[in-house]
Amino acid sequence: MQRHETRYYEEIEIGDEIGPVEKYITDEEVEAFCRLWGAPLPNRFTDEESAARVNLSWPIVPGIMSMAIMSQIFTAWEGAALKHLDVIFRQPVPHDLVAITAIVTDKREENDEYLAECDVYLSTEENGRLVGGKAVIGLASLSDAAAPEPEDDDEDDDDEDLDEDFDDDEDDEDDEEDEEDEVEEEATEEATEEESP
């Protein structure tokens, strides 16, 4: 799921509903997850016979994969960070179309972070809510977004250097003019002495 919008802390209110976000969990995705996870195949997550041996009616989605899918309802926001997710599995999650929803239950500022607490659920149309839990997310703040950028000290230093260089150039020019005046005075004195009897 791609990040697509920014939800600021000031824009979130207690009682706000988030979602639903829908996703179809395919057999291929579950198998790929198991391979990445290092789970031996076949297993109860990918194979009907293996699932039946542990009294399951169908292959199910691994719990950690279900949690990752649930977290996407928050991580899809620009600037959001999932701080904590704790869930309870009421029923196994099948390979099927699932919907993730959340409700904001609290918001607070803590240790210079802007946090929101949410109840989050994963459900299917046929079986209702299969997984429920609580999440804590960190959000961006409008005050941070509007904060002016700090001034560049390097530019000020450059301006000071230019002023110093300009002053040095003026001093050099004054010294050259004084030397020229001295030379002219000496030449005038010598010419006067030569003309004198």
Side-chain angles (χ1 to χ4, degrees):
M1 185 179 296
Q2 296 181 345
R3 290 176 176 256
H4 53 83
E5 64 176 328
T6 301
R7 297 293 294 272
Y8 291 105
Y9 175 80
E10 291 81 1
E11 298 172 339
I12 296 292
E13 299 294 340
I14 295 175
D16 283 355
E17 295 185 6
I18 305 168
V21 173
E22 294 186 336
K23 176 177 175 55
Y24 194 91
I25 306 173
T26 66
D27 297 341
E28 291 77 15
E29 286 175 332
V30 174
E31 183 173 339
F33 182 88
C34 288
R35 291 184 185 278
L36 183 63
W37 188 21
L41 299 173
N43 55 40
R44 65 186 184 278
F45 305 119
T46 61
D47 179 68
E48 289 187 4
E49 291 184 3
S50 298
R53 284 198 291 269
V54 290
N55 299 319
L56 293 172
S57 301
W58 50 74
I60 63 174
V61 179
I64 193 171
M65 183 177 180
S66 297
M67 293 177 68
I69 292 170
M70 294 174 73
S71 71
Q72 291 179 355
I73 196 170
F74 307 115
T75 57
W77 299 346
E78 286 287 350
L82 182 64
K83 301 292 185 178
H84 178 75
L85 178 61
D86 186 24
V87 302
I88 296 175
F89 289 84
R90 300 174 179 174
Q91 297 182 52
V93 178
H95 303 188
D96 199 353
L97 179 66
V98 300
I100 303 101
T101 55
I103 300 174
V104 179
T105 58
D106 191 19
K107 57 183 291 189
R108 64 183 185 275
E109 296 180 35
E110 185 177 282
N111 298 326
D112 296 326
E113 290 187 305
Y114 300 90
L115 305 176
E117 292 187 13
C118 302
D119 289 342
V120 58
Y121 305 98
L122 183 150
S123 59
T124 63
E125 185 175 356
E126 181 178 354
N127 298 301
R129 291 177 178 174
L130 307 179
V131 188
K134 293 186 176 294
V136 178
I137 54 174
L139 296 169
S141 171
L142 286 170
S143 60
D144 293 338
E149 295 183 1
E151 295 182 0
D152 191 350
D153 294 335
D154 292 340
E155 291 184 0
D156 295 338
D157 293 340
D158 292 341
D159 291 340
E160 291 178 2
D161 292 341
L162 289 174
D163 291 339
E164 291 177 359
D165 292 342
F166 182 75
D167 292 339
D168 291 342
D169 291 341
E170 286 188 338
D171 292 339
D172 292 342
E173 290 178 0
D174 292 340
D175 292 340
E176 290 178 359
E177 290 178 358
D178 292 340
E179 290 178 0
E180 290 177 358
D181 291 341
E182 290 177 0
V183 171
E184 288 181 0
E185 289 178 2
E186 291 177 358
T188 302
E189 291 177 358
E190 290 176 359
T192 303
E193 293 174 357
E194 289 176 358
E195 292 176 358
S196 300

